[in-house]
Amino acid sequence: MRTLYRHARLATMTDPVPWGWIEHGALLVDGEHLGWVGADGEIPAGLAVDAEVDLGGALVTPGLVDCHTHLVYGGDRAAEFELRLRGASYEQIARAGGGIRSTLAATRHASDAALFDAAAARARCLMAEGVTTIEIKSGYGLSEAHEARCLAVARRLGRELPLTVRTTSLAAHALPPEFEGRQEDYVDTLIEWLPSQLGAGLVDAVDAFCDHIAFTPAQTERIFSAARHLGLPVKLHAEQLSDQGGAALAARFGALSCDHLEHLSGAGIAAMAEAGTVAVLLPGAYYFLRDTQLPPVAALRAAGVPIAIATDHNPGSSPVLSLLLMINMACTLFRLTPEEAWRGVTVHGARALGLADRGLLAPGQRADLAVWDAEHPREMAYRFGHNPCRRAFHGGVERPR
Ligand code: DI6
Ligand code: FE
């Protein structure tokens, strides 16, 4: 089926025009992919088309990519939020066995169906804003069976919802209580889980939380070596709370992305630029933890490191379910331009997942599209708490609303 959509304003996000803007645009959706994109007046004569649709001047962008989420978990941490407002810090709570570990317990106690239903409800919130691809990390199971279960729930979301899901194994998220005092043993053990996760088709990439309250650079390196041995790409929660040199380490392994990066050094930036590693900035966590250390945006920009923006949705540090709000916060808090923030949730978000087939409106790209009741995408960077997404297409198929 080849459908020609006409009379659209297109933010293609392709170079060299700002926003890849086409004021009077048209696009041909050919099955799952885009067959042709351009100005309405330049539609090739004799373009074979089965149907033509007038979009009435609506704005069309690539479908959004949320390249960093921890969507599958049990329970919530609203009570912990309240504790923090009475003076406890995130780190104090984590050290006292709360934090990630309390979500671990709730996740292990939840049934597969409960985990799926909760995660599907969260995914639908993201999808309502035009998100067509998300990454989901494990990291709240922290045993072989529970990590596999969470990854399987993520895979099932990708099968049952009109959404592409990429999965990442993040067993190195926190130390599970049964390994108390035996962190090295836990790292050995989680490395042993990887081949079976891969064999069962559960995992697309490997991540670790490298920080002083989590795993060391040496442990991270062991995990990355194991991933490389299996041919799995790596990503890293790097320099969120302190500078551990994690970004440079990840870059040495050709990491797809380094994420958070508030404490990133100049050496880390240079290593990422050299390796082509994407910087994933997470304004939701920065905001919710009331961080004051800004990621080095100007230096990342100057070094030409591609910047992506994501929700980091998780119950502890970023319980946000709006990628549009992250576009706004990337601008207000991190001083990205609206176009940079939009690239961060389209083409650069896709690149942070190793996906070159989406994030742009261009021939050959997947027909993942969002249609907006807006004149220009900068409006979604400016306004917040407002969702003008009217329609979304996943692989050329319009999603029911
Ligand atoms: N960094 C974070 O901000 C989240 N995980 C991570 O590695 C926090 C996860 C949580 O508190 O549950
Ligand atoms: Fe995260």
Side-chain angles (χ1 to χ4, degrees):
M1 179 74 179
R2 291 161 62 89
T3 307
L4 182 65
Y5 292 88
R6 303 187 63 165
H7 195 194
R9 316 158 83 84
L10 303 180
T12 68
M13 309 313 291
T14 57
D15 294 328
V17 207
W19 300 89
W21 189 253
I22 302 176
E23 178 72 27
H24 301 283
L27 25 90
L28 178 71
V29 174
D30 185 355
E32 277 188 33
H33 293 94
L34 293 171
W36 184 87
V37 179
D40 213 80
E42 292 168 14
I43 297 170
L47 190 73
V49 162
D50 300 309
E52 220 176 276
V53 177
D54 186 331
L55 285 175
L59 170 67
V60 181
T61 68
L64 272 46
V65 178
D66 190 353
C67 68
H68 180 144
T69 86
H70 310 243
L71 214 67
V72 177
Y73 59 84
D76 66 58
R77 303 249 285 281
E80 175 183 315
F81 178 61
E82 206 173 1
L83 274 180
R84 278 173 46 206
L85 282 162
R86 295 208 183 121
S89 74
Y90 181 78
E91 291 188 42
Q92 281 166 347
I93 290 168
R95 287 189 192 282
I100 293 178
R101 281 196 187 178
S102 71
T103 300
L104 171 66
T107 303
R108 288 180 177 180
H109 280 107
S111 67
D112 291 7
L115 285 178
F116 178 84
D117 290 348
R122 295 174 194 128
R124 286 195 187 92
C125 293
L126 297 171
M127 289 162 67
E129 292 184 340
V131 172
T132 48
T133 298
I134 64 172
E135 184 248 21
I136 300 180
K137 300 174 195 297
S138 68
Y140 290 114
L142 306 189
S143 71
E144 183 166 22
H146 287 290
E147 283 290 292
R149 205 161 74 89
C150 292
L151 290 167
V153 165
R155 276 284 188 253
R156 189 180 151 207
L157 287 170
R159 280 196 307 275
E160 297 191 14
L161 300 180
L163 176 73
T164 302
V165 173
R166 300 292 284 182
T167 59
T168 300
S169 176
L170 178 59
H173 193 198
L175 189 65
E178 31 319 347
F179 282 85
E180 190 65 61
R182 296 189 296 126
Q183 186 143 356
E184 293 295 331
D185 285 355
Y186 179 60
V187 172
D188 290 338
T189 304
L190 72 88
I191 285 172
E192 285 168 13
W193 301 339
L194 288 174
S196 60
Q197 290 176 354
L198 180 65
L202 291 177
V203 60
D204 299 317
V206 173
D207 193 349
F209 184 15
C210 180
D211 221 310
H212 61 84
I213 60 163
F215 295 87
T216 66
Q219 291 165 342
T220 301
E221 182 159 5
R222 288 207 285 130
I223 295 163
F224 282 3
S225 296
R228 173 148 74 190
H229 188 69
L230 295 169
L232 281 166
V234 299
K235 317 167 71 68
L236 190 65
H237 281 69
E239 333 317 6
Q240 179 185 5
L241 307 170
S242 60
D243 180 13
Q244 302 281 319
L249 168 67
R252 275 202 281 120
F253 283 84
L256 291 174
S257 72
C258 292
D259 304 40
H260 286 288
L261 302 175
E262 280 81 351
H263 295 264
L264 180 62
S265 69
I269 294 171
M272 288 175 67
E274 174 77 25
T277 298
V278 177
V280 179
L281 304 184
L282 304 166
Y286 175 90
Y287 164 81
F288 194 68
L289 297 178
R290 304 187 76 235
D291 201 345
T292 51
Q293 176 75 35
L294 283 163
V297 169
L300 286 167
R301 195 185 270 141
V305 175
I307 298 174
I309 301 297
T311 60
D312 191 19
H313 176 87
N314 75 74
S317 67
S318 191
V320 63
L321 284 168
S322 169
L323 190 56
L324 289 182
L325 181 58
M326 298 303 96
I327 294 175
N328 171 266
M329 285 191 182
C331 298
T332 54
L333 300 176
F334 294 167
R335 313 310 288 166
L336 266 66
T337 66
E339 185 179 357
E340 285 173 328
W342 264 89
R343 285 187 183 277
V345 297
T346 53
V347 58
H348 292 161
R351 193 158 151 194
L353 299 177
L355 301 173
D357 66 346
R358 66 198 70 198
L360 301 169
L361 302 181
Q365 290 271 295
R366 270 179 66 85
D368 287 354
L369 312 171
V371 182
W372 307 88
D373 184 11
E375 300 265 303
H376 194 281
R378 66 170 72 93
E379 289 167 42
M380 281 77 94
Y382 154 74
R383 219 169 260 126
F384 55 102
H386 175 61
N387 177 17
C389 183
R390 291 296 167 262
R391 306 169 69 177
F393 294 74
H394 179 248
V397 178
E398 180 156 16
R399 283 199 308 223
R401 289 204 49 96

